[in-house]
Amino acid sequence: LAAAGAWELLTADTGGTCLLAHALANADDEVRFTALQALFDGGPQGPFPGASLVPLNLTYFAAATGRPRAVVLDHRLGEAQRIAALLGEVGYDATVAYNTNEMFDQATASADVALVLIAASLARPGADVAREQLRRDPRTKDLPVGIIAAADFFDRAAALAERDPLAEVFVRPHDTATTARQAARIESLRPTGLAPPDVRLARAAQTRDWMGISTPLTRHNLNRSEYLAAIDRALTDPRLRPAAIESLASLPGREPQVSLLSLANRRSLDYEIRAADAEAFAAHVAQHGLLLLTDEILTQYARYNGSASLDAETIQLLGAILDVIESGASAPLEAPPAEAALPPTT
């Protein structure tokens, strides 16, 4: 239908959703990615029901590294770390979650996640709630789950696994061979399997290009807060940051401008990244005007006044930001006294 340009059929409202939204909410990664591809290759020129699924899928695909990931949820920190270490030895990038919200965030972070392990010993109904939370999101609906069972929790683990065709008991392992064998069995539960690494990497590269385009928000009337939240998540990943900065620079409104300024001031980032942020900030001001509040402008002056002990590049960068602010102001600005200085931003 997309190839034939039948966008009216794909985006027709059918009770608050549409065929395109159904595709974006499909449990199969390939179906969801194909729906994104259709959108960015000349899709509908207006909003459609279910468009809020676009930013969630963008960051999910864009964050892939090609290495399989595993998430371990267990209230016993030492045990969770031990199992994660064993998974690391057999080829997974394994992370530990301390509650169901952390587990969900990690499980939906990228298309690399191959399996989730949930301890049966979580206080009731913890393990079941965690499993059900995964089934309610299209990114994790088909994600296989292992219910970690110690000897005294095997019956509970078996009962939990019986409720879900994509879950099986994962007996607490003590060596890499057992870990690898059980992880492979859990992974095999996934109906379509995890996409090969080269496919995940190709999708990530393509999606990062798409993230640098502002048209999804303007053309499809995406929820602005959701779109900005997706960009904020992308900013934490060095591989996604350039596309996220480009996207921020193209979006109208105060939030993108403030975010770009904040990033340019963050000294924990490499100078090249801060310089790119400052350049994007300048481009945003040139296109949309200066949208900072008076307090934000005064704070920036204070940062510059407190920069004497910093490296020359940072001082020059802070000065360039003030030049942009002054040139973009609708009325002449009066700089605060030099005594109004802030300590360097980390």
Side-chain angles (χ1 to χ4, degrees), residues 90-142:
V90 299
Y92 293 92
D93 285 340
T95 56
V96 172
Y98 305 110
N99 55 57
T100 55
N101 288 334
E102 280 192 10
M103 175 216 65
F104 181 75
D105 288 344
Q106 293 176 20
T108 56
S110 86
D112 287 323
V113 179
L115 72 157
V116 173
L117 302 181
I118 301 172
S121 58
L122 291 175
R124 289 177 175 171
D128 216 23
V129 168
R131 181 191 57 77
E132 289 177 0
Q133 187 174 12
L134 295 174
R135 298 297 170 245
R136 288 194 294 267
D137 190 282
R139 296 165 294 179
T140 53
K141 192 178 294 183
D142 278 355

Side-chain angles (χ1 to χ4, degrees), residues 5-322:
W7 293 109
E8 289 187 7
L9 284 174
L10 284 170
T11 59
D13 192 329
T14 56
T17 186
C18 63
L19 289 175
L20 186 58
H22 279 300
L24 289 167
N26 193 281
D28 190 331
D29 280 8
E30 184 175 2
V31 174
R32 296 201 316 284
F33 183 81
T34 302
L36 283 177
Q37 195 163 37
L39 275 173
F40 285 90
D41 290 348
Q45 299 301 308
F48 61 90
S52 61
L53 292 165
V54 173
L56 296 178
N57 280 301
L58 283 174
T59 50
Y60 170 82
F61 287 112
T65 65
R67 281 182 56 84
R69 296 183 61 187
V71 180
V72 182
L73 170 62
D74 196 324
H75 60 100
R76 299 163 299 180
L77 176 59
E79 181 63 12
Q81 291 175 334
R82 187 186 70 81
I83 293 176
L86 285 170
L87 288 165
E89 290 184 40
V90 299
Y92 293 92
D93 285 340
T95 56
V96 172
Y98 305 110
N99 55 57
T100 55
N101 288 334
E102 280 192 10
M103 175 216 65
F104 181 75
D105 288 344
Q106 293 176 20
T108 56
S110 86
D112 287 323
V113 179
L115 72 157
V116 173
L117 302 181
I118 301 172
S121 58
L122 291 175
R124 289 177 175 171
D128 216 23
V129 168
R131 181 191 57 77
E132 289 177 0
Q133 187 174 12
L134 295 174
R135 298 297 170 245
R136 288 194 294 267
D137 190 282
R139 296 165 294 179
T140 53
K141 192 178 294 183
D142 278 355
L143 192 61
V145 171
I147 308 297
I148 305 171
D152 48 347
F153 283 97
F154 189 88
D155 289 344
R156 184 191 293 186
L160 289 168
E162 280 182 8
R163 302 173 193 171
D164 189 336
L166 298 180
E168 278 196 12
V169 173
F170 186 92
V171 178
R172 189 169 62 178
H174 296 283
D175 56 68
T176 55
T178 304
T179 303
R181 184 172 62 253
Q182 292 195 97
R185 191 186 74 247
I186 300 297
E187 268 204 68
S188 70
L189 298 173
R190 191 171 187 151
T192 56
L194 185 67
D198 58 333
V199 172
R200 301 200 304 275
L201 286 172
R203 289 173 179 170
Q206 179 61 78
T207 312
R208 287 197 289 272
D209 287 343
W210 290 334
M211 286 186 69
I213 303 172
S214 65
T215 50
L217 180 67
T218 55
R219 241 172 50 188
H220 306 309
N221 196 29
L222 301 186
N223 181 292
R224 186 179 181 84
S225 63
E226 291 175 353
Y227 195 76
L228 287 170
I231 293 174
D232 284 343
R233 289 194 297 273
L235 287 168
T236 65
D237 188 324
R239 294 164 298 112
L240 307 187
R241 195 175 289 128
I245 291 171
E246 184 181 346
S247 191
L248 278 176
S250 66
L251 292 176
R254 259 183 46 76
E255 304 102 315
Q257 195 167 112
V258 172
S259 292
L260 289 167
L261 180 62
S262 175
L263 288 166
N265 286 314
R266 193 174 300 171
R267 292 185 60 237
S268 58
L269 298 174
D270 292 340
Y271 172 78
E272 291 75 13
I273 296 172
R274 288 182 284 135
D277 293 327
E279 187 175 332
F281 171 74
H284 196 280
V285 171
Q287 183 174 355
H288 304 289
L290 185 67
L291 303 175
L292 301 179
L293 301 177
T294 300
D295 285 350
E296 292 164 342
I297 294 172
L298 293 176
T299 296
Q300 196 60 37
Y301 273 108
R303 285 197 178 97
Y304 180 77
N305 290 339
S307 67
S309 63
L310 302 181
D311 58 275
E313 284 183 328
T314 296
I315 294 173
Q316 184 177 4
L317 184 65
L318 291 171
I321 291 171
L322 286 184

